[in-house]
Amino acid sequence: MRIVLLGPPGSGKGTQAAMLKERLGVPHISTGELLRAAVADGTELGKKAKAAMDAGQLVSDDLMLGLIEEKLGRPEVAPGFILDGYPRNLAQARALDELLDRLGQPIDRALELTVDEEQIVQRLAKRAEEEGRSDDTEEVVRNRLAVYHEQTAPVSSHYEEKGILVRVDGIGEIETINQRLADALA
Ligand code: ADP
């Protein structure tokens, strides 16, 4: 099962993807986590990505495609994957389609977690207190939300046109939401 998980920052993609991974037995690929690890390790990718991440802007499509190609070429993704944080704009969505067509492994389902803006701002403020992520400050959060609306929201329509998008209510208990996602895959 090859799944793309969509939704605004703070919609709970990371939490839900970790649980879906257990349910489905396929790896969870989070581009945000991969990038944060690259920054922490001081790799070339990390050095190139850091400024954009700190500003709440997108890292370049070229760098991201390199990262994704490398991950999706690995043997452990043969049974499928849950992709979280990619694609984040239409160019990335098209590049991913091309890559997966080439591999003969198209996306089965795109799941979009829907959460209203007020909830998101509250959740991210709470996460900033608890985790201290450097891109959870108020100004950077505003940028990330703007980038989401301008660049990432159209990605949902891309999958809707392909007939593989399911929107799932992202408000409620974590377990309940996970069950909704599982139902959307059935
Ligand atoms: P969130 O979805 O909560 O904003 P992520 O952990 O998914 O956070 O991503 C953090 C940052 O990493 C983004 O703001 C962006 O700078 C960078 N990033 C992650 N995925 C991508 C991507 N597909 N394309 C470009 N930049 C990305």
Side-chain angles (χ1 to χ4, degrees):
M1 180 71 101
R2 289 174 296 274
I3 300 165
V4 165
L5 200 53
L6 302 169
S11 57
K13 294 192 297 292
T15 307
Q16 294 297 334
M19 291 169 73
L20 273 185
K21 165 192 156 146
E22 300 304 325
R23 262 183 200 261
L24 305 174
V26 297
H28 168 206
I29 303 173
S30 159
T31 50
E33 275 175 23
L34 291 170
L35 289 170
R36 280 188 289 281
V39 171
D41 293 346
T43 66
E44 274 311 302
L45 170 67
K47 285 181 201 155
K48 288 180 186 153
K50 189 174 186 312
M53 293 174 73
D54 285 346
Q57 301 296 334
L58 296 186
V59 174
S60 82
D61 291 346
D62 281 356
L63 280 181
M64 294 311 300
L65 187 59
L67 180 65
I68 283 295
E69 267 187 305
E70 196 265 323
K71 282 282 154 194
L72 297 186
R74 292 193 180 183
E76 60 265 31
V77 302
F81 52 79
I82 303 160
L83 200 48
D84 156 17
Y86 192 96
R88 242 179 169 88
N89 60 29
L90 281 176
Q92 292 184 3
R94 293 187 187 118
L96 179 64
D97 284 349
E98 259 174 48
L99 171 63
L100 292 176
D101 282 348
R102 209 158 62 223
L103 298 172
Q105 297 180 336
I107 297 292
D108 297 303
R109 199 66 53 91
L111 300 174
E112 182 186 9
L113 278 171
T114 59
V115 179
D116 58 75
E117 190 101 2
E118 198 182 321
Q119 275 270 340
I120 284 171
V121 173
Q122 279 177 21
R123 286 185 190 182
L124 291 175
K126 186 156 165 265
R127 186 168 80 184
E129 270 177 32
E130 289 171 359
E131 294 176 20
R133 233 175 79 172
S134 63
D135 61 349
D136 276 345
T137 62
E138 201 183 321
E139 195 196 339
V140 177
V141 163
R142 252 201 307 275
N143 281 341
R144 282 160 55 209
L145 286 172
V147 166
Y148 178 79
H149 288 301
E150 285 161 20
Q151 303 193 47
T152 312
V155 172
S156 297
S157 314
H158 175 83
Y159 291 113
E160 194 166 30
E161 282 160 23
K162 288 174 162 287
I164 58 170
L165 178 77
V166 183
R167 292 194 172 88
V168 173
D169 180 4
I171 308 264
E173 297 289 332
I174 288 175
E175 289 287 349
T176 310
I177 298 166
N178 201 252
Q179 188 58 50
R180 286 179 197 143
L181 291 170
D183 291 346
L185 294 172

